[in-house]
PDB file of all heavy atoms in Angstrom:
ATOM      1  N   TRP C 113      30.823 -40.214  14.624  1.00  0.00           N
ATOM      2  CA  TRP C 113      31.096 -39.156  13.636  1.00  0.00           C
ATOM      3  C   TRP C 113      30.385 -39.344  12.348  1.00  0.00           C
ATOM      4  O   TRP C 113      30.047 -38.358  11.669  1.00  0.00           O
ATOM      5  CB  TRP C 113      32.621 -39.099  13.409  1.00  0.00           C
ATOM      6  CG  TRP C 113      33.311 -38.355  14.530  1.00  0.00           C
ATOM      7  CD1 TRP C 113      34.157 -38.848  15.509  1.00  0.00           C
ATOM      8  CD2 TRP C 113      33.146 -36.962  14.871  1.00  0.00           C
ATOM      9  NE1 TRP C 113      34.541 -37.848  16.388  1.00  0.00           N
ATOM     10  CE2 TRP C 113      33.891 -36.715  15.960  1.00  0.00           C
ATOM     11  CE3 TRP C 113      32.464 -35.902  14.266  1.00  0.00           C
ATOM     12  CZ2 TRP C 113      34.012 -35.442  16.559  1.00  0.00           C
ATOM     13  CZ3 TRP C 113      32.530 -34.612  14.818  1.00  0.00           C
ATOM     14  CH2 TRP C 113      33.278 -34.389  15.977  1.00  0.00           C
ATOM     15  N   GLU C 114      30.109 -40.589  11.978  1.00  0.00           N
ATOM     16  CA  GLU C 114      29.307 -40.764  10.754  1.00  0.00           C
ATOM     17  C   GLU C 114      27.881 -40.298  10.991  1.00  0.00           C
ATOM     18  O   GLU C 114      27.259 -39.705  10.060  1.00  0.00           O
ATOM     19  CB  GLU C 114      29.273 -42.292  10.456  1.00  0.00           C
ATOM     20  CG  GLU C 114      28.689 -42.631   9.076  1.00  0.00           C
ATOM     21  CD  GLU C 114      28.757 -44.100   8.745  1.00  0.00           C
ATOM     22  OE1 GLU C 114      29.291 -44.907   9.577  1.00  0.00           O
ATOM     23  OE2 GLU C 114      28.315 -44.465   7.619  1.00  0.00           O
ATOM     24  N   THR C 115      27.377 -40.435  12.171  1.00  0.00           N
ATOM     25  CA  THR C 115      26.052 -39.888  12.526  1.00  0.00           C
ATOM     26  C   THR C 115      26.033 -38.381  12.441  1.00  0.00           C
ATOM     27  O   THR C 115      25.137 -37.751  11.898  1.00  0.00           O
ATOM     28  CB  THR C 115      25.605 -40.358  13.906  1.00  0.00           C
ATOM     29  OG1 THR C 115      25.615 -41.796  14.010  1.00  0.00           O
ATOM     30  CG2 THR C 115      24.193 -39.907  14.278  1.00  0.00           C
ATOM     31  N   VAL C 116      27.104 -37.775  13.035  1.00  0.00           N
ATOM     32  CA  VAL C 116      27.213 -36.367  12.990  1.00  0.00           C
ATOM     33  C   VAL C 116      27.324 -35.840  11.525  1.00  0.00           C
ATOM     34  O   VAL C 116      26.751 -34.778  11.195  1.00  0.00           O
ATOM     35  CB  VAL C 116      28.445 -35.892  13.826  1.00  0.00           C
ATOM     36  CG1 VAL C 116      28.737 -34.381  13.581  1.00  0.00           C
ATOM     37  CG2 VAL C 116      28.287 -36.188  15.272  1.00  0.00           C
ATOM     38  N   GLN C 117      28.012 -36.634  10.720  1.00  0.00           N
ATOM     39  CA  GLN C 117      28.111 -36.267   9.279  1.00  0.00           C
ATOM     40  C   GLN C 117      26.757 -36.126   8.621  1.00  0.00           C
ATOM     41  O   GLN C 117      26.474 -35.170   7.961  1.00  0.00           O
ATOM     42  CB  GLN C 117      28.933 -37.365   8.584  1.00  0.00           C
ATOM     43  CG  GLN C 117      28.888 -37.330   7.069  1.00  0.00           C
ATOM     44  CD  GLN C 117      29.607 -38.562   6.525  1.00  0.00           C
ATOM     45  OE1 GLN C 117      30.808 -38.532   6.284  1.00  0.00           O
ATOM     46  NE2 GLN C 117      28.881 -39.693   6.429  1.00  0.00           N
ATOM     47  N   TRP C 118      25.877 -37.045   8.936  1.00  0.00           N
ATOM     48  CA  TRP C 118      24.511 -37.027   8.361  1.00  0.00           C
ATOM     49  C   TRP C 118      23.675 -35.963   9.002  1.00  0.00           C
ATOM     50  O   TRP C 118      22.783 -35.385   8.299  1.00  0.00           O
ATOM     51  CB  TRP C 118      23.884 -38.412   8.425  1.00  0.00           C
ATOM     52  CG  TRP C 118      24.405 -39.357   7.393  1.00  0.00           C
ATOM     53  CD1 TRP C 118      25.383 -40.280   7.564  1.00  0.00           C
ATOM     54  CD2 TRP C 118      24.086 -39.390   6.025  1.00  0.00           C
ATOM     55  NE1 TRP C 118      25.652 -40.899   6.383  1.00  0.00           N
ATOM     56  CE2 TRP C 118      24.901 -40.316   5.392  1.00  0.00           C
ATOM     57  CE3 TRP C 118      23.153 -38.626   5.209  1.00  0.00           C
ATOM     58  CZ2 TRP C 118      24.808 -40.624   4.034  1.00  0.00           C
ATOM     59  CZ3 TRP C 118      23.135 -38.961   3.827  1.00  0.00           C
ATOM     60  CH2 TRP C 118      23.919 -39.936   3.274  1.00  0.00           C
ATOM     61  N   LEU C 119      23.911 -35.668  10.243  1.00  0.00           N
ATOM     62  CA  LEU C 119      23.244 -34.533  10.870  1.00  0.00           C
ATOM     63  C   LEU C 119      23.632 -33.220  10.171  1.00  0.00           C
ATOM     64  O   LEU C 119      22.798 -32.393   9.868  1.00  0.00           O
ATOM     65  CB  LEU C 119      23.651 -34.469  12.353  1.00  0.00           C
ATOM     66  CG  LEU C 119      23.142 -33.241  13.130  1.00  0.00           C
ATOM     67  CD1 LEU C 119      21.623 -33.174  13.188  1.00  0.00           C
ATOM     68  CD2 LEU C 119      23.751 -33.209  14.554  1.00  0.00           C
ATOM     69  N   MET C 120      24.892 -33.097   9.839  1.00  0.00           N
ATOM     70  CA  MET C 120      25.408 -31.929   9.111  1.00  0.00           C
ATOM     71  C   MET C 120      24.813 -31.899   7.694  1.00  0.00           C
ATOM     72  O   MET C 120      24.606 -30.781   7.150  1.00  0.00           O
ATOM     73  CB  MET C 120      26.923 -31.904   9.081  1.00  0.00           C
ATOM     74  CG  MET C 120      27.588 -31.694  10.462  1.00  0.00           C
ATOM     75  SD  MET C 120      26.998 -30.171  11.340  1.00  0.00           S
ATOM     76  CE  MET C 120      26.034 -30.890  12.648  1.00  0.00           C
ATOM     77  N   PHE C 121      24.629 -33.018   7.104  1.00  0.00           N
ATOM     78  CA  PHE C 121      23.965 -33.093   5.756  1.00  0.00           C
ATOM     79  C   PHE C 121      22.585 -32.420   5.767  1.00  0.00           C
ATOM     80  O   PHE C 121      22.201 -31.698   4.896  1.00  0.00           O
ATOM     81  CB  PHE C 121      23.859 -34.548   5.358  1.00  0.00           C
ATOM     82  CG  PHE C 121      23.005 -34.878   4.145  1.00  0.00           C
ATOM     83  CD1 PHE C 121      23.462 -34.588   2.924  1.00  0.00           C
ATOM     84  CD2 PHE C 121      21.792 -35.464   4.325  1.00  0.00           C
ATOM     85  CE1 PHE C 121      22.673 -34.913   1.781  1.00  0.00           C
ATOM     86  CE2 PHE C 121      20.960 -35.743   3.199  1.00  0.00           C
ATOM     87  CZ  PHE C 121      21.441 -35.479   1.938  1.00  0.00           C
ATOM     88  N   GLN C 122      21.900 -32.661   6.930  1.00  0.00           N
ATOM     89  CA  GLN C 122      20.563 -31.984   7.030  1.00  0.00           C
ATOM     90  C   GLN C 122      20.758 -30.510   7.288  1.00  0.00           C
ATOM     91  O   GLN C 122      20.105 -29.643   6.663  1.00  0.00           O
ATOM     92  CB  GLN C 122      19.796 -32.609   8.199  1.00  0.00           C
ATOM     93  CG  GLN C 122      18.395 -32.045   8.332  1.00  0.00           C
ATOM     94  CD  GLN C 122      18.310 -30.746   9.131  1.00  0.00           C
ATOM     95  OE1 GLN C 122      18.820 -30.675  10.220  1.00  0.00           O
ATOM     96  NE2 GLN C 122      17.723 -29.724   8.582  1.00  0.00           N
ATOM     97  N   MET C 123      21.633 -30.144   8.197  1.00  0.00           N
ATOM     98  CA  MET C 123      21.792 -28.762   8.571  1.00  0.00           C
ATOM     99  C   MET C 123      22.285 -27.867   7.399  1.00  0.00           C
ATOM    100  O   MET C 123      21.851 -26.756   7.217  1.00  0.00           O
ATOM    101  CB  MET C 123      22.810 -28.661   9.752  1.00  0.00           C
ATOM    102  CG  MET C 123      22.334 -29.335  11.016  1.00  0.00           C
ATOM    103  SD  MET C 123      20.820 -28.636  11.709  1.00  0.00           S
ATOM    104  CE  MET C 123      21.353 -27.020  12.190  1.00  0.00           C
ATOM    105  N   ALA C 124      23.229 -28.392   6.669  1.00  0.00           N
ATOM    106  CA  ALA C 124      23.853 -27.645   5.543  1.00  0.00           C
ATOM    107  C   ALA C 124      23.124 -27.795   4.237  1.00  0.00           C
ATOM    108  O   ALA C 124      23.259 -26.898   3.382  1.00  0.00           O
ATOM    109  CB  ALA C 124      25.307 -28.041   5.403  1.00  0.00           C
ATOM    110  N   GLY C 125      22.447 -28.892   4.042  1.00  0.00           N
ATOM    111  CA  GLY C 125      21.838 -29.153   2.754  1.00  0.00           C
ATOM    112  C   GLY C 125      20.333 -29.263   2.775  1.00  0.00           C
ATOM    113  O   GLY C 125      19.615 -28.422   2.211  1.00  0.00           O
ATOM    114  N   VAL C 126      19.860 -30.314   3.419  1.00  0.00           N
ATOM    115  CA  VAL C 126      18.381 -30.610   3.297  1.00  0.00           C
ATOM    116  C   VAL C 126      17.551 -29.443   3.907  1.00  0.00           C
ATOM    117  O   VAL C 126      16.570 -29.008   3.279  1.00  0.00           O
ATOM    118  CB  VAL C 126      18.051 -31.887   4.101  1.00  0.00           C
ATOM    119  CG1 VAL C 126      16.557 -32.103   4.241  1.00  0.00           C
ATOM    120  CG2 VAL C 126      18.631 -33.073   3.350  1.00  0.00           C
ATOM    121  N   GLY C 127      17.873 -28.965   5.044  1.00  0.00           N
ATOM    122  CA  GLY C 127      17.106 -27.901   5.683  1.00  0.00           C
ATOM    123  C   GLY C 127      17.033 -26.604   4.813  1.00  0.00           C
ATOM    124  O   GLY C 127      15.949 -26.133   4.414  1.00  0.00           O
ATOM    125  N   PRO C 128      18.204 -26.032   4.495  1.00  0.00           N
ATOM    126  CA  PRO C 128      18.210 -24.806   3.694  1.00  0.00           C
ATOM    127  C   PRO C 128      17.560 -24.989   2.349  1.00  0.00           C
ATOM    128  O   PRO C 128      16.797 -24.134   1.861  1.00  0.00           O
ATOM    129  CB  PRO C 128      19.685 -24.442   3.566  1.00  0.00           C
ATOM    130  CG  PRO C 128      20.317 -25.076   4.764  1.00  0.00           C
ATOM    131  CD  PRO C 128      19.507 -26.360   4.996  1.00  0.00           C
ATOM    132  N   MET C 129      17.881 -26.064   1.631  1.00  0.00           N
ATOM    133  CA  MET C 129      17.374 -26.223   0.260  1.00  0.00           C
ATOM    134  C   MET C 129      15.907 -26.554   0.196  1.00  0.00           C
ATOM    135  O   MET C 129      15.151 -26.057  -0.566  1.00  0.00           O
ATOM    136  CB  MET C 129      18.215 -27.358  -0.399  1.00  0.00           C
ATOM    137  CG  MET C 129      19.679 -27.012  -0.713  1.00  0.00           C
ATOM    138  SD  MET C 129      19.950 -25.502  -1.673  1.00  0.00           S
ATOM    139  CE  MET C 129      20.357 -24.278  -0.391  1.00  0.00           C
ATOM    140  N   PHE C 130      15.507 -27.486   1.151  1.00  0.00           N
ATOM    141  CA  PHE C 130      14.075 -27.787   1.149  1.00  0.00           C
ATOM    142  C   PHE C 130      13.244 -26.535   1.567  1.00  0.00           C
ATOM    143  O   PHE C 130      12.161 -26.261   1.094  1.00  0.00           O
ATOM    144  CB  PHE C 130      13.755 -28.910   2.097  1.00  0.00           C
ATOM    145  CG  PHE C 130      14.067 -30.273   1.573  1.00  0.00           C
ATOM    146  CD1 PHE C 130      15.093 -30.518   0.654  1.00  0.00           C
ATOM    147  CD2 PHE C 130      13.321 -31.368   1.970  1.00  0.00           C
ATOM    148  CE1 PHE C 130      15.381 -31.770   0.195  1.00  0.00           C
ATOM    149  CE2 PHE C 130      13.562 -32.691   1.552  1.00  0.00           C
ATOM    150  CZ  PHE C 130      14.600 -32.874   0.653  1.00  0.00           C
ATOM    151  N   GLY C 131      13.817 -25.777   2.499  1.00  0.00           N
ATOM    152  CA  GLY C 131      13.104 -24.607   2.922  1.00  0.00           C
ATOM    153  C   GLY C 131      12.948 -23.590   1.792  1.00  0.00           C
ATOM    154  O   GLY C 131      11.888 -22.966   1.651  1.00  0.00           O
ATOM    155  N   GLN C 132      14.011 -23.372   1.031  1.00  0.00           N
ATOM    156  CA  GLN C 132      13.903 -22.444  -0.096  1.00  0.00           C
ATOM    157  C   GLN C 132      12.955 -23.003  -1.187  1.00  0.00           C
ATOM    158  O   GLN C 132      12.213 -22.253  -1.796  1.00  0.00           O
ATOM    159  CB  GLN C 132      15.279 -22.222  -0.664  1.00  0.00           C
ATOM    160  CG  GLN C 132      16.182 -21.408   0.202  1.00  0.00           C
ATOM    161  CD  GLN C 132      15.684 -20.011   0.430  1.00  0.00           C
ATOM    162  OE1 GLN C 132      15.062 -19.332  -0.457  1.00  0.00           O
ATOM    163  NE2 GLN C 132      15.861 -19.520   1.629  1.00  0.00           N
TER     164      GLN C 132
END
Side-chain angles (χ1 to χ4, degrees):
W113 280 110
E114 192 175 0
T115 304
V116 172
Q117 167 186 269
W118 285 98
L119 174 63
M120 295 303 110
F121 169 75
Q122 185 276 307
M123 297 297 295
V126 170
M129 295 300 103
F130 280 33
Q132 291 296 323

